[in-house]
Amino acid sequence: MNLINETKLFFKKFDHLDIPALIDLSTSIGWDYDRNEITTMMNSGKIYGHKNEEGKIVSSAAIIEYSSKLASIGMVIVRQDYRGMGLGRKATQKCLDSMLCSKTAMLIATEEGKPLYEKMGFKSIDTVHKFLCDHYEPLVKNSNLHRNIKPIGEEDIPQLIHLDTEAFGDNRKTFLINRLKQSKEAIVVKSPDGKNIGYGMSISGPIHLILGPIVALDSETASVIIDQLARNHHGKLRIDVPSGHEVFMSHLKKCGFLQVSQPPIMIKNGDHLPLRNNTLYGIAAQAFG
């Protein structure tokens, strides 16, 4: 039985001064959110939750609203000592209440969180495939695609946003610009006539180098993007791949990646995600969809 007095908890929208306490909350349950990731989340969306009398953050939930169709919910965390009080549900509900009712809300659930989300009206529609790698083995040989890889420049942004919108199903310009600022490396693949046919970013985290988002017109281009981002990294890697890319996932396994889980994608206020063109090979992170 939880004896903590809920009347001594304070609900609020967090700001940048709360980032150290949010990092501590994440660490308390073994998650690895860092300052850069939470800053991108705040600059792209909103984070709500509870504080106790001592000012310690004991719950959180974040929402990132994209242009017109979709919002993504993530970073739903409740400190162990405060579980069983409905704090995660209240923070998540605040995220839902803050968005335009015409949008579909999506999240990628943990096993522990799935029953809560089902009670709140979310339903599972698909899965993502979480891959980790301790030592990357490059298999992609130099090709014309390698010669057409460039760092993303200001002039590439309009085409990049168009590529991403077709892949993701909604325009997420604000988030992409914030993610670019956060990235360790951000590259674009160009066709011989100068059009962008794919792009990718790597994000440095406390444990893993995150590969994503990855958007490409085909699996070969996606594999070359991964190779460019991963081949000079000495450390752990992570990528979360949407369903439907079996050839690409087979390639990842040959390069040393191991699939460790397949968490469900859940949505509310809709029957399916906005239309996508099957060119999203790596999501940005589970919190961003």
Side-chain angles (χ1 to χ4, degrees):
M1 181 177 177
N2 198 318
L3 299 178
I4 295 172
N5 189 344
E6 189 178 348
T7 63
K8 295 183 179 180
L9 299 179
F10 307 93
F11 191 82
K12 66 167 292 187
K13 176 184 175 184
F14 298 122
D15 58 36
H16 287 79
L17 294 177
D18 294 306
I19 289 178
L22 285 166
I23 295 171
D24 179 69
L25 174 67
S26 167
T27 302
S28 76
I29 66 162
W31 290 7
D32 60 350
Y33 283 98
D34 63 8
R35 175 174 288 276
N36 291 332
E37 191 77 344
I38 296 174
T39 297
T40 293
M41 198 170 294
M42 283 188 174
N43 289 344
S44 306
K46 295 166 282 196
I47 307 177
Y48 299 99
H50 295 84
K51 281 186 174 184
N52 64 14
E53 284 185 306
E54 291 75 38
K56 179 182 286 187
I57 295 177
V58 299
S59 77
S60 70
I63 182 166
I64 299 91
E65 288 194 69
Y66 299 117
S67 178
S68 59
K69 303 173 184 177
L70 197 61
S72 182
I73 292 175
M75 204 181 175
V76 181
I77 305 173
V78 178
R79 199 175 289 272
Q80 185 69 43
D81 293 347
Y82 288 79
R83 293 182 179 178
M85 301 171 62
L87 304 185
R89 182 185 186 118
K90 290 175 182 176
T92 303
Q93 187 61 53
K94 177 62 178 179
C95 290
L96 293 171
D97 293 343
S98 73
M99 74 175 194
L100 294 176
C101 60
S102 60
K103 291 185 180 180
T104 296
M106 71 165 292
L107 56 81
I108 299 175
T110 62
E111 283 302 313
E112 297 84 357
K114 186 178 178 184
L116 163 66
Y117 303 131
E118 288 174 337
K119 290 176 182 176
M120 296 184 70
F122 284 86
K123 56 187 177 183
S124 299
I125 58 160
D126 204 346
T127 61
V128 294
H129 305 257
K130 177 182 175 182
F131 285 87
L132 301 179
C133 178
D134 289 335
H135 179 70
Y136 177 76
E137 295 286 348
L139 295 180
V140 178
K141 297 181 180 179
N142 286 332
S143 67
N144 289 333
L145 285 175
H146 275 94
R147 289 193 289 273
N148 291 332
I149 291 176
K150 312 290 182 186
I152 292 175
E154 193 73 28
E155 70 281 1
D156 297 309
I157 300 297
Q159 273 195 46
L160 184 151
I161 291 170
H162 176 74
L163 267 179
D164 187 81
T165 300
E166 295 295 306
F168 185 74
D170 202 1
N171 185 307
R172 49 181 184 170
K173 177 181 177 180
T174 298
F175 164 69
L176 287 177
I177 291 173
N178 289 327
R179 201 61 162 173
L180 276 169
K181 295 175 183 176
Q182 184 189 353
S183 65
K184 176 184 177 183
E185 189 174 6
I187 57 175
V188 62
V189 184
K190 294 182 177 289
S191 64
D193 61 358
K195 292 182 180 179
N196 295 349
I197 59 172
Y199 83 89
M201 300 183 204
S202 62
I203 308 295
S204 295
I207 299 173
H208 299 95
L209 181 71
I210 299 168
L211 305 178
I214 307 293
V215 172
L217 296 189
D218 53 57
S219 61
E220 180 187 3
T221 304
S223 297
V224 169
I225 291 171
I226 292 297
D227 186 66
Q228 180 71 22
L229 296 173
R231 65 164 50 238
N232 294 319
H233 178 70
H234 303 289
K236 298 178 183 292
L237 300 161
R238 172 175 175 170
I239 183 171
D240 294 82
V241 183
S243 295
H245 295 301
E246 282 72 19
V247 172
F248 177 65
M249 288 188 280
S250 176
H251 173 79
L252 289 177
K253 292 174 183 177
K254 293 175 184 177
C255 293
F257 284 86
L258 176 68
Q259 182 171 330
V260 296
S261 64
Q262 196 170 331
I265 299 172
M266 306 184 76
I267 64 170
K268 183 179 172 71
N269 301 338
D271 296 319
H272 51 77
L273 290 173
L275 183 64
R276 298 178 171 186
N277 65 1
N278 206 37
T279 60
L280 183 65
Y281 283 83
I283 65 173
Q286 291 190 8
F288 299 114

